[in-house]
Amino acid sequence: MKPQLSDNLCFALYTASNALTRAYRPLLERFDLTYGQYLVMQALWLEDRVSLTELSRQTRLDPGSLTPVVKRLEGKGMLTRTVSSEDERRKVIALTETGQALQQQAAALKTELEQKTDIDPEVIDTLRRHCLTLADQLTRVC
Amino acid sequence: MKPQLSDNLCFALYTASNALTRAYRPLLERFDLTYGQYLVMQALWLEDRVSLTELSRQTRLDPGSLTPVVKRLEGKGMLTRTVSSEDERRKVIALTETGQALQQQAAALKTELEQKTDIDPEVIDTLRRHCLTLADQLTRVC
DNA sequence: CTCAAATAATTAGCGCGCAAAACATTTGTG
DNA sequence: CACAAATGTTTTGCGCGCTAATTATTTGAG
């Protein structure tokens, strides 16, 4: 069979990731969040009052990428960044009431998107777990 | 069980895509290609002499994203962009000999990376197909 | 106690994806 | 033939991921 671009995992993954980002965009717009900001907020909804290093670890984003995102969220009133009293190198990133309140509203997003697609939830879960496996393996060897 | 960031498909997909991009980077550096450029080259290795619109369709990238990438590849001598004699709105994107020659060398990259990871090829293929399914569905509903 | 090494966060620069607007050309209706 | 609509590409502006360098602070060896 003639080879195709979709034979490649890197194309498939890249395309799916971009498609998901695109799909979320109009839904996130109502909360004035970008996709990247939304992922960071999700991490904070799970564990509030963390350092940037810890948030970097949880989100698997480079601190250099994370600082501007977190700063932008601070500017939007979603969170605050204060110097830790224990270690002045460290910042404490804490959700504001506005940021916390958004959790409930944002929770419906995933459901809304799931209802739009026709994919078996088991397939979604297999995909999710395989993505995590791949990410873990790649991170380990590099 | 306590909810985690990795429960989310969007986090998993985003992380896996970023991890794959990171993993490819040092390998692609030897060809002076970025990941995005590499994906575009892959499309052209499969079908040369296409319009930007056609390349946009194949790669599922917005023409606005594609133009700078293709221009950069042109600057690197990988391809040429010429106005079509049939329709002056249209550009013909054609690989140069340099660009064509790279195909063989780049082919080993995937193998090199596969050897580094410990993932069952069937899992990789399932992941790939699920990604494409997800991308197709999301593109269809949005 | 001093200071090199380590740590935490920030900044700078680059490449890229996206949406929207703009520009140039082609098409097809009236 | 005129011109509105459509098409193809480019440009602009924004947000983001990454690497590397920089800055500020803490740690621990000597």
Side-chain angles (χ1 to χ4, degrees):
Chain A
M1 161 82 102
K2 191 186 172 195
Q4 303 184 14
L5 197 52
S6 54
D7 292 344
N8 292 289
L9 176 65
C10 48
F11 171 77
L13 204 49
Y14 199 69
T15 300
S17 186
N18 288 343
L20 200 54
T21 304
R22 273 196 309 268
Y24 264 94
R25 181 171 286 120
L27 308 184
L28 290 170
E29 255 169 15
R30 70 180 79 148
F31 307 115
D32 187 29
L33 287 179
T34 66
Y35 192 71
Q37 289 165 8
Y38 171 61
L39 291 175
V40 170
M41 290 299 286
Q42 277 186 323
L44 291 170
W45 288 326
L46 288 168
E47 188 180 353
D48 202 352
R49 301 189 61 77
V50 290
S51 67
L52 192 111
T53 300
E54 178 54 26
L55 191 57
S56 171
R57 197 188 61 74
Q58 289 169 5
T59 60
R60 295 161 83 164
L61 292 168
D62 192 89
S65 304
L66 206 38
T67 295
V69 176
V70 164
K71 275 183 151 182
R72 209 162 278 113
L73 285 167
E74 181 184 39
K76 291 180 176 182
M78 306 288 187
L79 55 80
T80 57
R81 298 185 309 137
T82 50
V83 177
S84 171
S85 49
E86 290 150 26
D87 184 336
E88 282 180 47
R89 292 173 296 182
R90 187 170 296 174
K91 293 285 177 63
V92 174
I93 299 164
L95 287 170
T96 59
E97 284 188 22
T98 302
Q100 282 165 354
L102 218 66
Q103 180 175 4
Q104 300 296 316
Q105 304 173 50
L109 286 190
K110 199 202 295 183
T111 310
E112 189 171 336
L113 212 57
E114 273 162 16
Q115 279 165 355
K116 282 184 173 183
T117 61
D118 212 359
I119 308 181
D120 185 348
E122 253 182 62
V123 166
I124 293 292
D125 201 63
T126 302
L127 174 57
R128 186 185 60 83
R129 282 185 290 98
H130 285 167
C131 283
L132 294 171
T133 301
L134 178 69
D136 288 342
Q137 286 256 355
L138 290 171
T139 302
R140 192 169 50 76
V141 303
C142 298
Chain B
M1 166 80 104
K2 190 187 174 195
Q4 303 183 14
L5 198 51
S6 55
D7 292 345
N8 291 290
L9 176 66
C10 48
F11 171 77
L13 203 52
Y14 199 70
T15 299
S17 187
N18 288 343
L20 199 55
T21 304
R22 271 194 311 266
Y24 265 95
R25 181 171 286 121
L27 309 184
L28 290 170
E29 255 169 16
R30 70 179 79 146
F31 306 115
D32 187 29
L33 287 180
T34 67
Y35 191 72
Q37 290 164 7
Y38 171 62
L39 292 175
V40 170
M41 290 299 285
Q42 277 186 322
L44 291 171
W45 289 326
L46 288 167
E47 189 181 352
D48 201 353
R49 301 188 61 77
V50 290
S51 67
L52 193 112
T53 300
E54 179 54 26
L55 191 55
S56 171
R57 196 188 62 73
Q58 287 168 8
T59 58
R60 294 162 84 164
L61 292 168
D62 192 90
S65 305
L66 207 37
T67 296
V69 176
V70 164
K71 273 182 153 183
R72 210 161 277 116
L73 285 168
E74 180 184 39
K76 291 179 174 180
M78 306 289 187
L79 55 82
T80 58
R81 297 185 310 138
T82 51
V83 177
S84 170
S85 50
E86 289 149 27
D87 185 334
E88 282 179 46
R89 292 172 296 180
R90 187 171 295 175
K91 291 285 175 64
V92 174
I93 299 164
L95 288 169
T96 58
E97 284 188 22
T98 303
Q100 281 164 357
L102 219 67
Q103 181 175 3
Q104 301 296 316
Q105 303 173 50
L109 287 189
K110 198 200 299 183
T111 310
E112 190 172 336
L113 212 56
E114 273 161 15
Q115 278 165 357
K116 283 185 172 183
T117 61
D118 211 2
I119 308 182
D120 185 349
E122 251 182 64
V123 167
I124 293 293
D125 201 63
T126 302
L127 174 56
R128 185 185 60 83
R129 284 187 288 98
H130 286 167
C131 283
L132 294 170
T133 300
L134 177 68
D136 288 344
Q137 286 256 356
L138 290 171
T139 302
R140 191 168 52 73
V141 303
C142 300

